[in-house]
Structure formats: structure tokens, C-alpha cells
Amino acid sequence: MRIASPQPTVKKYFRMVFSHYSLCRHLMYEQLPHIHLKGETLDVGGTRDSDYHTLFGSIGDITNLNASTEHGGGGDIIADCNEPLPLKDSSYDNVISLSTFEHIKNDRLLLQECLRVLRPGGSFHFFTPFLYREHGCPFDYHRHTSQWWEEELQTESVNAETVAVMPLVWDQYATGFSSFEPRNKQLRILLRSLFCLPGLLRGLCGKNNAFQETMALAHYVSGKKG
């Protein structure tokens, strides 16, 4: 099921303008406090030093799986995500992944593997860029639509009623601006305040429409295993 993106508010506007993250990453992180992870969680693409772990509403034990030992303290498990994961079936209560699927050439296999290691009734939370620039780390392969995620998750192992795909978008001007965000802090704040203002005004007037959903910077995909 596709659900509407969050409505712009004045509070969100100022948080976004002054955020030191990219607009894409800020919109992702904005959802984390609403996610509560109980039990054992596998973070596919995460590291021991991932700054977003503290942003979740609650989180239990977490295991980080990464393809590299070079970034942010490395992972607890090092594995090639283009191959079957070296993990037992039904090993985790939750599987999360932030900005990882786009870097995996065989992302369909990775999706299947994430579901395989998830326990029945367990939850998955995936965040992936959409209308966002290429950012090889070292490679960048995919930008999937909401439709792709909905269809790929139509499997017997997933509880179809729980699947939700949320476009993460402020408005089309903010999405366009994200492609040339300057590194200079003062200039970035100034330009963000200007490019994000139309979305705020449109949201306060209740004029957001379906077109905004097609301009998503990212998607938040969630659901539960059957």
C-alpha cells in the first residue's frame, strides 16, 4: 500500500533548513523516531558508528552487516550483499537498511535474503533514494519506484496487509534543489530556506497533491513477515 508523505509544517521547515544532513537523508532520519525496534535487529549496510541508531524511537540489540571494514568502525558481520548472507533463517526480529539497496547490483537477491533471515511476524524498514544524485560507494546501481517495491514484496513470506511504501518528499522545488546543494553551510541554509518555502506554504494551505508524491527524494518501505 502506498501511503502519503508527511505534511509540511513550520516546525519541520526550520528543522530541515538548519539540518546538517542532505535533504534526502534528513527526510529519512525524520521517520526514525516513529520506529520502535524490539528484540534483535539486523542493520544491512550499517556500521558500529552509524549515527542514526540513536534516532530510533527505541532499539534493542543490533547487529551491523557491511561489505567493508573501512567505514565508520566497520560491521559486526562482513559479507558480500550480492551473495546469500551467511546467516541462519529466521534469525532476527527486525531488519533495517538505510541507503544501501541502491549500491547492491543484485538488490533483488538482497531483498529476498532480508526476508529470509527475518522471523515470522518480524518487521522490515528500508530507506532508499529515488530522485537523488548518483553517489557511488563505490557503486550506485538503482532508483526503484514505489510500484517496484510494492510488486517485489508481493510474496508468500510477507504479510501483504502490512506493506507500506511512503514517498519521502517536501515538494518538487526541494527535490530539484537537492541535486545541487552547496557544501558551504551559510549558503546551504540560505538556499534551503528559499527552495523549501513554496512547499511549506502549499502544505499550510492544504494544497499538496498526488503530483508531489511522484517527486520523492527517497522511499520508506516497511512491513512484516507473514
Side-chain angles (χ1 to χ4, degrees):
M1 176 178 66
R2 205 169 308 180
I3 59 179
S5 58
Q7 190 80 353
T9 66
V10 173
K11 188 175 182 179
K12 290 179 180 178
Y13 170 78
F14 282 107
R15 282 181 176 174
M16 185 164 60
V17 166
F18 291 100
S19 173
H20 62 275
Y21 297 113
S22 68
L23 286 180
C24 183
R25 189 165 290 271
H26 176 82
L27 290 173
M28 292 181 184
Y29 285 7
E30 193 176 54
Q31 297 305 310
L32 300 187
H34 306 294
I35 301 173
H36 297 271
L37 303 171
K38 298 180 179 180
E40 298 178 276
T41 297
L42 177 68
D43 184 357
V44 177
T47 67
R48 299 185 189 97
D49 296 338
S50 293
D51 57 0
Y52 54 80
H53 288 161
T54 60
L55 301 179
F56 284 92
S58 60
I59 192 168
D61 296 328
I62 187 162
T63 300
N64 299 289
L65 185 148
N66 204 289
S68 173
T69 58
E70 299 177 0
H71 303 291
D76 302 300
I77 301 171
I78 305 301
D80 184 353
C81 291
N82 287 292
E83 302 291 338
L85 301 179
L87 300 169
K88 296 180 180 179
D89 294 357
S90 305
S91 313
Y92 293 92
D93 300 295
N94 315 282
V95 177
I96 62 175
S97 182
L98 281 79
S99 298
T100 297
F101 276 91
E102 70 272 19
H103 300 297
I104 308 303
K105 188 172 184 178
N106 196 354
D107 63 339
R108 184 174 274 113
L109 173 62
L110 177 59
L111 179 58
Q112 294 169 356
E113 285 294 286
C114 287
L115 296 175
R116 178 183 67 79
V117 303
L118 192 59
R119 292 174 180 142
S123 65
F124 56 85
H125 303 271
F126 305 142
F127 292 83
T128 63
F130 184 49
L131 295 180
Y132 188 67
R133 61 178 175 79
E134 289 187 22
H135 54 290
C137 187
F139 308 109
D140 193 346
Y141 295 103
H142 309 287
R143 293 292 185 276
H144 293 309
T145 63
S146 298
Q147 180 103 23
W148 187 91
W149 284 105
E150 290 176 8
E151 293 183 3
E152 287 299 313
L153 289 168
Q154 290 178 3
T155 70
E156 293 182 359
S157 64
V158 175
N159 183 340
E161 295 182 355
T162 66
V163 174
V165 181
M166 177 192 291
L168 298 178
V169 58
W170 186 257
D171 77 341
Q172 68 267 38
Y173 302 108
T175 295
F177 168 69
S178 71
S179 65
F180 62 89
E181 279 192 278
R183 292 182 179 273
N184 180 273
K185 180 180 178 180
Q186 286 73 26
L187 182 58
R188 184 176 67 247
I189 290 173
L190 174 62
L191 293 178
R192 273 191 187 181
S193 65
L194 296 174
F195 278 90
C196 295
L197 185 58
L200 172 63
L201 297 177
R202 188 179 294 107
L204 293 178
C205 295
K207 292 184 178 180
N208 279 6
N209 53 46
F211 173 71
Q212 306 297 328
E213 310 293 309
T214 68
M215 303 297 292
L217 271 171
H219 291 120
Y220 166 33
V221 182
S222 62
K224 291 188 175 181
K225 187 171 181 178

